[in-house]
Coordinates of all heavy atoms in Angstrom, one line a residue:
M223 N 0.8 -1.2 0.0 CA 0.0 0.0 0.0 C 0.9 1.2 0.0 O 1.9 1.3 0.7 CB -0.9 0.0 1.3 CG -2.0 -1.0 1.2 SD -3.0 -0.8 2.7 CE -2.8 -2.4 3.4
K224 N 0.5 2.2 -0.8 CA 1.2 3.5 -0.8 C 0.5 4.5 0.0 O -0.7 4.8 -0.2 CB 1.3 3.9 -2.3 CG 2.0 5.2 -2.5 CD 3.4 5.2 -2.3 CE 4.0 6.5 -2.6 NZ 5.3 6.7 -2.0
N225 N 1.1 5.1 0.9 CA 0.5 6.2 1.7 C 1.4 7.4 1.6 O 2.6 7.4 1.7 CB 0.5 5.8 3.2 CG -0.4 4.6 3.4 OD1 0.0 3.5 3.4 ND2 -1.7 4.9 3.5
A226 N 0.7 8.5 1.3 CA 1.4 9.8 1.1 C 1.6 10.5 2.5 O 0.7 10.4 3.3 CB 0.6 10.7 0.2
I227 N 2.7 11.1 2.6 CA 2.9 11.8 3.9 C 3.8 13.1 3.5 O 4.6 13.0 2.6 CB 3.6 11.0 4.9 CG1 3.6 11.7 6.3 CG2 5.0 10.6 4.5 CD1 4.0 10.8 7.4
D228 N 3.6 14.1 4.2 CA 4.4 15.3 4.1 C 5.7 15.0 4.7 O 5.8 15.0 6.0 CB 3.7 16.5 4.7 CG 4.5 17.8 4.6 OD1 5.7 17.8 4.2 OD2 3.9 18.9 4.8
I229 N 6.8 14.9 3.9 CA 8.1 14.5 4.5 C 8.6 15.5 5.4 O 9.3 15.2 6.4 CB 9.0 14.1 3.3 CG1 10.2 13.2 3.8 CG2 9.6 15.3 2.6 CD1 9.8 11.9 4.2
Y230 N 8.4 16.8 5.1 CA 8.9 17.8 6.0 C 8.2 17.8 7.4 O 8.8 18.1 8.4 CB 8.8 19.2 5.3 CG 9.6 19.2 4.1 CD1 9.0 19.2 2.8 CD2 11.0 19.3 4.2 CE1 9.8 19.1 1.7 CE2 11.8 19.3 3.0 CZ 11.2 19.2 1.8 OH 12.0 19.2 0.7
Q231 N 6.9 17.5 7.4 CA 6.2 17.3 8.6 C 6.8 16.1 9.4 O 6.9 16.2 10.6 CB 4.7 17.0 8.3 CG 3.8 17.1 9.5 CD 3.4 18.6 9.8 OE1 4.0 19.5 9.3 NE2 2.4 18.7 10.6
A232 N 7.1 15.0 8.7 CA 7.7 13.9 9.3 C 9.0 14.2 10.0 O 9.4 13.8 11.1 CB 7.8 12.7 8.4
L233 N 9.8 15.0 9.3 CA 11.1 15.5 9.8 C 10.9 16.4 11.0 O 11.7 16.3 12.0 CB 11.9 16.2 8.7 CG 12.4 15.3 7.6 CD1 13.0 16.1 6.5 CD2 13.3 14.2 8.0
K234 N 9.9 17.2 11.0 CA 9.6 18.0 12.2 C 9.2 17.1 13.4 O 9.6 17.4 14.5 CB 8.4 19.0 11.9 CG 8.8 20.1 11.0 CD 7.6 21.0 10.8 CE 8.0 22.1 9.8 NZ 6.8 23.0 9.5
V235 N 8.4 16.1 13.1 CA 8.0 15.1 14.2 C 9.3 14.5 14.7 O 9.5 14.4 16.0 CB 7.0 14.1 13.7 CG1 6.9 12.9 14.6 CG2 5.7 14.7 13.4
F236 N 10.2 14.0 13.9 CA 11.4 13.4 14.3 C 12.2 14.4 15.2 O 12.7 14.0 16.3 CB 12.3 13.0 13.1 CG 13.6 12.4 13.5 CD1 13.7 11.0 13.8 CD2 14.7 13.1 13.5 CE1 14.9 10.5 14.2 CE2 15.9 12.6 13.9 CZ 16.0 11.2 14.2
N237 N 12.4 15.6 14.8 CA 13.1 16.6 15.6 C 12.5 16.8 16.9 O 13.1 17.0 17.9 CB 13.3 17.9 14.8 CG 14.3 17.8 13.7 OD1 15.2 17.0 13.8 ND2 14.2 18.6 12.7
K238 N 11.1 16.9 16.9 CA 10.4 17.1 18.2 C 10.6 16.0 19.2 O 10.8 16.2 20.4 CB 8.9 17.3 17.9 CG 8.2 18.2 18.9 CD 6.9 18.6 18.4 CE 6.5 19.9 19.1 NZ 5.2 20.4 18.8
I239 N 10.6 14.8 18.6 CA 10.8 13.6 19.5 C 12.2 13.6 20.1 O 12.4 13.3 21.2 CB 10.5 12.3 18.7 CG1 9.0 12.2 18.4 CG2 10.9 11.1 19.5 CD1 8.7 11.1 17.4
T240 N 13.2 13.9 19.2 CA 14.6 13.9 19.7 C 14.9 15.0 20.6 O 15.8 14.9 21.5 CB 15.6 13.8 18.5 OG1 15.4 15.0 17.7 CG2 15.5 12.6 17.7
E241 N 14.2 16.1 20.5 CA 14.4 17.3 21.4 C 13.7 17.1 22.7 O 14.3 17.5 23.7 CB 13.9 18.6 20.7 CG 14.2 19.8 21.5 CD 13.8 21.1 20.7 OE1 13.5 21.0 19.5 OE2 13.8 22.1 21.4
F242 N 12.5 16.6 22.7 CA 11.7 16.6 23.9 C 11.4 15.2 24.5 O 10.9 15.1 25.6 CB 10.3 17.3 23.7 CG 10.4 18.7 23.3 CD1 10.1 19.1 22.0 CD2 11.0 19.7 24.1 CE1 10.2 20.4 21.6 CE2 11.1 21.0 23.7 CZ 10.7 21.4 22.4
G243 N 11.8 14.2 23.7 CA 11.5 12.8 24.2 C 12.5 12.3 25.2 O 13.5 12.9 25.4
E244 N 12.1 11.1 25.7 CA 13.0 10.4 26.6 C 14.0 9.6 25.8 O 13.7 8.9 24.9 CB 12.1 9.5 27.5 CG 12.9 8.7 28.5 CD 12.0 7.7 29.2 OE1 10.8 8.0 29.4 OE2 12.5 6.6 29.5
K245 N 15.3 9.8 26.2 CA 16.4 9.1 25.5 C 16.7 7.8 26.1 O 16.8 7.7 27.3 CB 17.6 10.0 25.5 CG 18.8 9.5 24.8 CD 19.9 10.5 24.8 CE 21.2 10.0 24.1 NZ 22.3 10.9 24.2
Q246 N 16.9 6.8 25.3 CA 17.4 5.4 25.7 C 18.5 5.0 24.8 O 18.5 5.2 23.6 CB 16.3 4.4 25.5 CG 15.2 4.4 26.6 CD 14.3 3.2 26.4 OE1 14.0 2.7 25.4 NE2 13.7 2.8 27.5
A247 N 19.5 4.5 25.4 CA 20.7 4.0 24.7 C 20.3 2.8 23.8 O 19.4 2.0 24.2 CB 21.8 3.6 25.6
S248 N 20.9 2.7 22.7 CA 20.5 1.6 21.8 C 21.3 0.3 22.1 O 22.4 0.4 22.6 CB 20.9 2.0 20.3 OG 20.8 0.9 19.5
D249 N 20.7 -0.8 21.9 CA 21.4 -2.1 22.1 C 22.6 -2.2 21.1 O 23.6 -2.9 21.4 CB 20.4 -3.3 21.9 CG 19.3 -3.3 22.9 OD1 19.6 -2.7 24.0 OD2 18.3 -3.9 22.6
A250 N 22.5 -1.6 19.9 CA 23.5 -1.7 18.9 C 24.7 -0.9 19.3 O 25.8 -1.1 18.8 CB 23.0 -1.3 17.6
G251 N 24.5 0.1 20.2 CA 25.6 0.9 20.6 C 26.0 2.1 19.8 O 26.9 2.9 20.1
Y252 N 25.4 2.3 18.6 CA 25.9 3.4 17.7 C 24.9 4.5 17.7 O 25.2 5.6 17.1 CB 26.1 2.9 16.3 CG 25.0 2.2 15.6 CD1 23.9 2.9 15.1 CD2 25.0 0.8 15.6 CE1 22.9 2.2 14.5 CE2 23.9 0.1 15.0 CZ 22.9 0.8 14.4 OH 21.9 0.2 13.9
N253 N 23.7 4.4 18.2 CA 22.8 5.5 18.3 C 21.8 5.3 19.5 O 21.9 4.3 20.2 CB 22.0 5.7 17.0 CG 21.1 4.4 16.7 OD1 21.1 3.5 17.4 ND2 20.4 4.5 15.6
S254 N 21.0 6.3 19.7 CA 20.0 6.3 20.8 C 18.6 6.3 20.2 O 18.4 6.7 19.0 CB 20.2 7.5 21.7 OG 21.5 7.5 22.3
T255 N 17.7 5.9 21.0 CA 16.3 5.9 20.6 C 15.6 6.9 21.5 O 15.9 7.0 22.7 CB 15.6 4.5 20.8 OG1 16.3 3.6 19.9 CG2 14.2 4.6 20.3
Y256 N 14.7 7.7 21.0 CA 14.0 8.7 21.7 C 12.5 8.3 21.7 O 12.0 7.8 20.6 CB 14.2 10.1 21.1 CG 15.6 10.6 21.2 CD1 16.5 10.2 20.2 CD2 16.0 11.4 22.3 CE1 17.8 10.6 20.3 CE2 17.3 11.8 22.3 CZ 18.2 11.4 21.4 OH 19.5 11.8 21.4
H257 N 11.8 8.6 22.8 CA 10.4 8.2 22.9 C 9.5 9.4 23.3 O 9.9 10.1 24.2 CB 10.2 7.1 23.9 CG 11.0 5.9 23.7 ND1 10.6 4.9 22.9 CD2 12.3 5.6 24.2 CE1 11.6 4.0 22.8 NE2 12.6 4.4 23.6
L258 N 8.4 9.6 22.6 CA 7.5 10.7 22.9 C 6.1 10.4 22.3 O 6.0 10.0 21.1 CB 8.0 12.0 22.3 CG 7.2 13.3 22.6 CD1 7.2 13.6 24.1 CD2 7.7 14.5 21.8
C259 N 5.1 10.5 23.1 CA 3.7 10.3 22.7 C 3.5 8.9 22.0 O 2.7 8.8 21.1 CB 3.3 11.4 21.8 SG 3.3 13.0 22.5
G260 N 4.2 7.9 22.4 CA 4.0 6.6 21.9 C 4.8 6.3 20.6 O 4.7 5.2 20.1
L261 N 5.6 7.3 20.2 CA 6.5 7.1 19.0 C 7.9 7.0 19.4 O 8.4 7.6 20.4 CB 6.3 8.2 18.0 CG 5.0 8.2 17.2 CD1 5.1 9.4 16.2 CD2 4.8 6.9 16.4
H262 N 8.7 6.2 18.6 CA 10.1 6.1 18.8 C 10.8 6.7 17.6 O 10.3 6.5 16.5 CB 10.5 4.6 18.9 CG 9.6 3.8 19.8 ND1 9.5 4.0 21.2 CD2 8.7 2.8 19.5 CE1 8.6 3.1 21.6 NE2 8.1 2.4 20.6
A263 N 11.9 7.3 17.8 CA 12.7 7.9 16.8 C 14.1 7.5 16.9 O 14.7 7.6 18.0 CB 12.6 9.5 16.8
E264 N 14.7 7.1 15.8 CA 16.2 6.8 15.8 C 16.8 7.0 14.4 O 16.0 7.0 13.5 CB 16.4 5.3 16.3 CG 15.8 4.3 15.4 CD 15.9 2.9 16.0 OE1 17.1 2.6 16.4 OE2 15.0 2.2 16.1
T265 N 18.1 7.1 14.4 CA 18.8 7.3 13.2 C 19.5 6.0 12.9 O 19.9 5.2 13.8 CB 19.8 8.4 13.2 OG1 20.7 8.2 14.2 CG2 19.1 9.7 13.4
G266 N 19.8 5.7 11.6 CA 20.6 4.6 11.2 C 22.0 4.8 11.5 O 22.4 5.9 11.8
Y267 N 22.8 3.8 11.4 CA 24.3 3.9 11.7 C 25.0 4.9 10.8 O 26.0 5.5 11.1 CB 25.0 2.6 11.6 CG 25.1 2.0 10.3 CD1 26.2 2.2 9.5 CD2 24.0 1.2 9.7 CE1 26.3 1.7 8.2 CE2 24.1 0.7 8.4 CZ 25.2 1.0 7.7 OH 25.3 0.5 6.4
D268 N 24.5 5.1 9.6 CA 25.1 6.0 8.6 C 24.7 7.4 8.8 O 25.2 8.3 8.2 CB 24.8 5.5 7.2 CG 23.3 5.5 6.8 OD1 22.5 5.9 7.7 OD2 23.0 5.1 5.7
G269 N 23.6 7.7 9.5 CA 23.1 9.0 9.8 C 22.2 9.5 8.6 O 21.7 10.6 8.7
Y270 N 22.0 8.8 7.6 CA 21.2 9.2 6.5 C 19.8 8.6 6.5 O 18.9 9.1 5.8 CB 21.8 8.8 5.1 CG 23.1 9.5 4.8 CD1 24.3 8.9 4.8 CD2 23.0 10.9 4.4 CE1 25.4 9.6 4.5 CE2 24.1 11.6 4.1 CZ 25.4 10.9 4.2 OH 26.5 11.6 3.9
T271 N 19.5 7.7 7.4 CA 18.2 7.1 7.5 C 17.7 7.3 8.9 O 18.4 7.2 9.9 CB 18.3 5.5 7.3 OG1 18.9 5.3 6.0 CG2 17.0 4.9 7.4
I272 N 16.4 7.7 8.9 CA 15.8 7.9 10.2 C 14.5 7.0 10.2 O 13.9 6.8 9.2 CB 15.4 9.4 10.6 CG1 14.4 9.9 9.6 CG2 16.7 10.2 10.6 CD1 13.9 11.3 10.1
T273 N 14.1 6.6 11.4 CA 13.0 5.8 11.6 C 12.1 6.3 12.7 O 12.5 6.7 13.7 CB 13.4 4.3 11.9 OG1 14.2 3.8 10.9 CG2 12.1 3.4 12.1
L274 N 10.8 6.4 12.4 CA 9.7 6.7 13.3 C 8.9 5.4 13.4 O 8.5 4.8 12.4 CB 8.9 7.8 12.9 CG 9.5 9.2 12.7 CD1 8.6 10.2 12.0 CD2 10.0 9.7 14.1
S275 N 8.6 5.0 14.7 CA 7.9 3.7 14.9 C 7.0 3.8 16.1 O 7.4 4.5 17.1 CB 8.9 2.6 15.0 OG 8.2 1.4 15.3
D276 N 6.0 3.0 16.1 CA 5.2 2.9 17.3 C 5.1 1.4 17.8 O 4.4 1.0 18.6 CB 3.8 3.4 17.2 CG 2.9 2.6 16.2 OD1 3.4 1.7 15.6 OD2 1.7 3.0 16.1
G277 N 5.9 0.6 17.2 CA 6.0 -0.9 17.5 C 5.3 -1.7 16.5 O 5.7 -2.9 16.3
R278 N 4.3 -1.2 15.9 CA 3.5 -2.0 14.9 C 3.8 -1.4 13.5 O 3.8 -2.1 12.5 CB 2.0 -2.0 15.2 CG 1.7 -2.8 16.4 CD 0.2 -3.0 16.6 NE -0.3 -3.9 15.5 CZ -1.5 -3.8 15.1 NH1 -2.4 -2.9 15.6 NH2 -2.0 -4.6 14.1
T279 N 3.9 -0.1 13.4 CA 4.1 0.6 12.2 C 5.4 1.4 12.2 O 5.7 1.9 13.2 CB 2.9 1.6 11.9 OG1 1.7 0.9 11.9 CG2 3.1 2.4 10.6
S280 N 6.1 1.4 11.1 CA 7.3 2.1 11.0 C 7.3 3.0 9.7 O 6.8 2.5 8.7 CB 8.6 1.2 11.1 OG 8.6 0.4 10.0
L281 N 8.0 4.1 9.8 CA 8.2 5.0 8.7 C 9.7 5.2 8.6 O 10.3 5.7 9.5 CB 7.5 6.3 8.9 CG 7.9 7.4 8.0 CD1 7.6 7.1 6.5 CD2 7.2 8.7 8.4
N282 N 10.3 4.7 7.5 CA 11.7 4.9 7.3 C 11.9 6.0 6.3 O 11.3 6.0 5.2 CB 12.4 3.6 6.7 CG 12.4 2.5 7.7 OD1 12.9 2.7 8.8 ND2 11.8 1.4 7.4
I283 N 12.7 7.0 6.6 CA 13.0 8.1 5.7 C 14.4 8.0 5.3 O 15.3 8.0 6.1 CB 12.7 9.5 6.4 CG1 11.2 9.5 6.9 CG2 13.0 10.6 5.4 CD1 10.9 10.7 7.7
Y284 N 14.6 7.9 4.0 CA 16.0 7.7 3.4 C 16.5 9.0 2.8 O 15.9 10.0 2.8 CB 15.9 6.6 2.3 CG 15.3 5.4 2.8 CD1 14.0 5.0 2.5 CD2 16.0 4.5 3.7 CE1 13.4 3.8 2.9 CE2 15.5 3.3 4.1 CZ 14.2 3.0 3.7 OH 13.6 1.8 4.2
F285 N 17.7 8.9 2.3 CA 18.4 10.0 1.7 C 17.5 10.5 0.5 O 16.8 9.8 -0.1 CB 19.7 9.5 1.1 CG 20.7 10.5 0.7 CD1 21.2 11.5 1.6 CD2 21.2 10.6 -0.6 CE1 22.1 12.5 1.3 CE2 22.1 11.6 -1.0 CZ 22.5 12.5 -0.1
H286 N 17.6 11.8 0.3 CA 16.8 12.5 -0.8 C 15.3 12.4 -0.5 O 14.5 12.4 -1.4 CB 17.1 11.9 -2.2 CG 18.4 12.3 -2.7 ND1 18.9 13.6 -2.8 CD2 19.5 11.5 -3.0 CE1 20.1 13.6 -3.3 NE2 20.5 12.3 -3.4
N287 N 14.9 12.3 0.8 CA 13.5 12.3 1.2 C 12.6 11.2 0.6 O 11.4 11.4 0.5 CB 12.9 13.7 1.0 CG 13.6 14.8 1.7 OD1 14.1 14.5 2.8 ND2 13.6 16.0 1.2
K288 N 13.2 10.1 0.3 CA 12.4 8.9 -0.1 C 12.0 8.3 1.2 O 12.7 8.4 2.2 CB 13.2 8.0 -0.9 CG 13.6 8.6 -2.3 CD 14.4 7.6 -3.1 CE 14.7 8.3 -4.4 NZ 15.5 7.4 -5.3
Y289 N 10.9 7.6 1.2 CA 10.4 7.0 2.5 C 9.6 5.7 2.2 O 9.2 5.5 1.0 CB 9.5 8.0 3.3 CG 8.2 8.4 2.6 CD1 7.0 7.7 2.7 CD2 8.2 9.5 1.7 CE1 5.9 8.0 2.1 CE2 7.0 9.9 1.1 CZ 5.9 9.1 1.3 OH 4.7 9.5 0.6
Q290 N 9.4 4.9 3.2 CA 8.7 3.7 3.1 C 8.0 3.4 4.4 O 8.6 3.5 5.5 CB 9.6 2.6 2.8 CG 9.0 1.2 2.7 CD 9.9 0.1 2.3 OE1 11.1 0.4 2.2 NE2 9.4 -1.1 2.1
F291 N 6.7 3.1 4.3 CA 5.9 2.6 5.5 C 6.0 1.1 5.6 O 6.0 0.5 4.5 CB 4.5 3.1 5.4 CG 4.2 4.5 5.8 CD1 4.0 5.5 4.8 CD2 4.1 4.8 7.1 CE1 3.7 6.7 5.2 CE2 3.8 6.1 7.5 CZ 3.6 7.1 6.5
D292 N 5.9 0.6 6.8 CA 5.7 -0.8 7.0 C 4.7 -1.0 8.1 O 5.0 -0.5 9.2 CB 7.1 -1.5 7.3 CG 7.0 -3.0 7.5 OD1 6.1 -3.6 6.8 OD2 7.7 -3.6 8.2
Y293 N 3.6 -1.7 7.8 CA 2.6 -1.9 8.8 C 1.7 -3.1 8.4 O 1.6 -3.4 7.2 CB 1.7 -0.6 9.0 CG 1.1 -0.1 7.7 CD1 -0.2 -0.5 7.3 CD2 1.8 0.8 6.9 CE1 -0.7 -0.1 6.1 CE2 1.2 1.3 5.7 CZ 0.0 0.8 5.3 OH -0.6 1.3 4.1
P294 N 1.2 -3.8 9.4 CA 0.4 -5.0 9.2 C -1.0 -4.8 8.6 O -1.5 -5.7 7.9 CB 0.4 -5.7 10.5 CG 0.5 -4.6 11.5 CD 1.3 -3.5 10.9
D295 N -1.6 -3.7 9.0 CA -3.0 -3.5 8.6 C -3.3 -2.0 8.7 O -2.6 -1.2 9.3 CB -4.0 -4.3 9.4 CG -3.8 -4.1 10.9 OD1 -3.7 -3.0 11.4 OD2 -3.9 -5.1 11.6
N296 N -4.5 -1.6 8.1 CA -4.8 -0.2 8.1 C -5.1 0.4 9.6 O -4.8 1.6 9.8 CB -6.1 0.1 7.3 CG -5.8 0.0 5.8 OD1 -4.7 0.3 5.4 ND2 -6.8 -0.3 5.0
E297 N -5.5 -0.4 10.5 CA -5.7 0.0 11.8 C -4.4 0.4 12.5 O -4.3 1.5 13.2 CB -6.4 -1.1 12.7 CG -6.7 -0.7 14.1 CD -7.3 -1.8 14.9 OE1 -7.9 -2.7 14.4 OE2 -7.2 -1.7 16.2
A298 N -3.4 -0.4 12.2 CA -2.1 0.0 12.8 C -1.5 1.3 12.2 O -1.0 2.1 12.9 CB -1.1 -1.2 12.5
F299 N -1.8 1.5 10.9 CA -1.3 2.7 10.2 C -2.1 3.9 10.8 O -1.5 4.9 11.1 CB -1.6 2.6 8.7 CG -1.3 3.8 8.0 CD1 0.1 4.2 7.7 CD2 -2.3 4.7 7.5 CE1 0.4 5.4 7.1 CE2 -2.0 5.9 6.9 CZ -0.7 6.2 6.6
E300 N -3.4 3.8 10.9 CA -4.2 4.9 11.5 C -3.8 5.2 12.9 O -3.7 6.4 13.3 CB -5.7 4.6 11.4 CG -6.2 4.5 10.0 CD -7.6 4.0 9.8 OE1 -8.2 3.7 10.8 OE2 -8.0 3.8 8.7
N301 N -3.5 4.2 13.7 CA -3.0 4.5 15.1 C -1.7 5.2 15.0 O -1.4 6.1 15.8 CB -2.9 3.1 15.8 CG -2.5 3.3 17.3 OD1 -3.2 4.1 17.9 ND2 -1.5 2.6 17.7
F302 N -0.8 4.8 14.1 CA 0.5 5.5 14.0 C 0.3 7.0 13.6 O 0.9 7.9 14.2 CB 1.3 4.8 12.9 CG 2.6 5.5 12.6 CD1 3.8 5.3 13.3 CD2 2.7 6.4 11.5 CE1 5.0 5.9 13.0 CE2 3.9 7.0 11.2 CZ 5.0 6.8 12.0
M303 N -0.6 7.2 12.7 CA -0.9 8.6 12.3 C -1.5 9.4 13.4 O -1.2 10.6 13.5 CB -1.7 8.6 11.0 CG -1.0 8.0 9.8 SD 0.6 8.8 9.4 CE 0.2 10.5 9.1
R304 N -2.3 8.8 14.3 CA -2.8 9.6 15.4 C -1.7 9.9 16.4 O -1.6 11.1 16.9 CB -3.8 8.7 16.2 CG -5.2 8.7 15.6 CD -6.3 8.1 16.5 NE -6.1 6.7 16.7 CZ -6.5 5.7 15.9 NH1 -7.1 6.0 14.8 NH2 -6.3 4.5 16.2
R305 N -0.8 9.0 16.6 CA 0.4 9.3 17.4 C 1.3 10.4 16.8 O 1.8 11.3 17.5 CB 1.2 8.1 17.7 CG 0.5 7.0 18.5 CD 1.3 5.8 18.6 NE 0.6 4.7 19.2 CZ 0.7 4.3 20.5 NH1 1.5 4.9 21.3 NH2 0.0 3.3 20.9
F306 N 1.4 10.3 15.5 CA 2.2 11.3 14.7 C 1.6 12.7 15.0 O 2.3 13.7 15.3 CB 2.0 10.9 13.2 CG 2.9 11.7 12.3 CD1 4.2 11.2 12.0 CD2 2.5 12.9 11.7 CE1 5.0 11.9 11.1 CE2 3.2 13.6 10.8 CZ 4.5 13.1 10.5
S307 N 0.2 12.8 14.9 CA -0.5 14.1 15.2 C -0.3 14.5 16.6 O -0.1 15.7 16.9 CB -2.0 14.0 14.9 OG -2.1 13.8 13.5
D308 N -0.3 13.6 17.5 CA -0.1 13.9 19.0 C 1.3 14.6 19.2 O 1.4 15.5 20.0 CB -0.2 12.6 19.8 CG -1.6 12.1 19.9 OD1 -2.6 12.9 19.5 OD2 -1.8 11.0 20.4
V309 N 2.3 14.1 18.5 CA 3.6 14.7 18.7 C 3.6 16.1 18.1 O 4.2 17.0 18.7 CB 4.7 13.8 17.9 CG1 6.0 14.6 17.9 CG2 4.9 12.5 18.6
M310 N 2.9 16.3 17.0 CA 2.9 17.7 16.5 C 2.2 18.6 17.4 O 2.5 19.8 17.5 CB 2.2 17.7 15.1 CG 3.0 17.1 14.0 SD 4.7 17.8 13.8 CE 4.3 19.5 13.5
K311 N 1.2 18.1 18.2 CA 0.5 19.0 19.1 C 1.2 19.1 20.5 O 0.9 20.0 21.2 CB -0.9 18.4 19.4 CG -1.8 18.3 18.2 CD -3.1 17.6 18.6 CE -3.9 17.2 17.4 NZ -5.0 16.3 17.7
H312 N 2.2 18.3 20.7 CA 2.9 18.3 22.0 C 3.6 19.6 22.2 O 4.3 20.1 21.3 CB 3.9 17.2 22.0 CG 4.7 17.1 23.3 ND1 4.2 16.5 24.4 CD2 5.9 17.5 23.6 CE1 5.0 16.6 25.4 NE2 6.1 17.2 24.9
T313 N 3.4 20.1 23.4 CA 4.1 21.4 23.8 C 4.9 21.1 25.1 O 4.5 20.3 25.9 CB 3.1 22.5 24.0 OG1 2.2 22.2 25.1 CG2 2.4 22.9 22.8
V314 N 6.0 21.8 25.2 CA 6.8 21.7 26.4 C 6.1 22.4 27.6 O 5.5 23.4 27.5 CB 8.2 22.4 26.2 CG1 9.0 22.3 27.4 CG2 8.9 21.8 25.0
Q315 N 6.1 21.7 28.7 CA 5.4 22.2 29.9 C 6.3 22.7 30.9 O 7.4 22.3 31.1 CB 4.5 21.1 30.5 CG 3.5 20.7 29.5 CD 2.8 19.3 29.8 OE1 3.0 18.8 30.8 NE2 2.1 18.9 28.9

């Protein structure tokens, strides 16, 4: 299934998660994972790939703003997008 997303909005969500989210060290040892509003954000070892995930759905953003979703069903995708919106609404308290 092909799902359109505003890649710049996705990058803003990634930045917000890494800025305000809770940081956890990665098992792989080369990067950290950040958590906010049920989403996880991390970078690939090369620094060119970022991933946003909620455990069931993931969005991988590659070099030149290409991206790919991976999800088991539409319900999982819709849940991911709700969390995505929650991050955009998140404000620092």
Side-chain angles (χ1 to χ4, degrees):
M223 288 183 239
K224 176 73 174 156
N225 295 95
I227 192 167
D228 180 344
I229 200 68
Y230 297 105
Q231 192 82 345
L233 294 171
K234 286 179 185 179
V235 166
F236 179 83
N237 284 335
K238 206 166 209 184
I239 294 171
T240 57
E241 185 175 350
F242 302 113
E244 179 184 328
K245 182 178 179 179
Q246 280 187 332
S248 171
D249 294 336
Y252 56 81
N253 63 358
S254 296
T255 302
Y256 297 84
H257 305 274
L258 182 67
C259 298
L261 286 182
H262 316 292
E264 62 184 313
T265 59
Y267 70 93
D268 61 3
Y270 290 109
T271 303
I272 65 171
T273 301
L274 297 170
S275 174
D276 69 356
R278 292 188 67 208
T279 299
S280 63
L281 168 60
N282 294 305
I283 303 173
Y284 305 104
F285 195 60
H286 292 299
N287 297 331
K288 294 181 181 178
Y289 65 91
Q290 180 178 3
F291 278 104
D292 184 27
Y293 53 93
D295 53 43
N296 283 335
E297 182 181 340
F299 175 76
E300 290 169 8
N301 187 49
F302 174 85
M303 293 308 295
R304 279 191 295 276
R305 292 173 191 260
F306 190 92
S307 294
D308 289 347
V309 171
M310 286 307 298
K311 295 176 196 171
H312 181 78
T313 57
V314 180
Q315 298 164 8

